[in-house]
Amino acid sequence: MAVVEEEPGPGIGAAVVIVSVIVLIIVLVVLFYGLAAQHWFGFNSPPTVGASPSVTPAPSPSGSASASPT
């Protein structure tokens, strides 16, 4: 009896890898462009920590200033 080795037929393995790499590169380019150039998700706005200056109350006149003689 002889051992016969069959060569596998051309599969789609290489094509799937090439298409997957191209899709991955396109997704990374779109995300980089959107986050860096278009400022998606508000990454370009300053962080909102604490109260902003427009929310803080205006200082009221002190009691000593209103009680001073004129």
Side-chain angles (χ1 to χ4, degrees):
M1 261 211 228
V3 176
V4 178
E5 294 183 16
E6 293 183 22
E7 290 192 26
I12 60 168
V16 170
V17 171
I18 292 172
V19 170
S20 299
V21 169
I22 291 172
V23 168
L24 179 66
I25 290 172
I26 290 172
V27 166
L28 290 177
V29 167
V30 167
L31 281 176
F32 179 78
Y33 177 74
L35 295 175
Q38 296 296 319
H39 306 292
W40 291 346
F41 307 115
F43 287 140
N44 65 336
S45 62
T48 56
V49 178
S52 63
S54 63
V55 177
T56 56
S60 59
S62 63
S64 62
S66 62
S68 64
T70 53

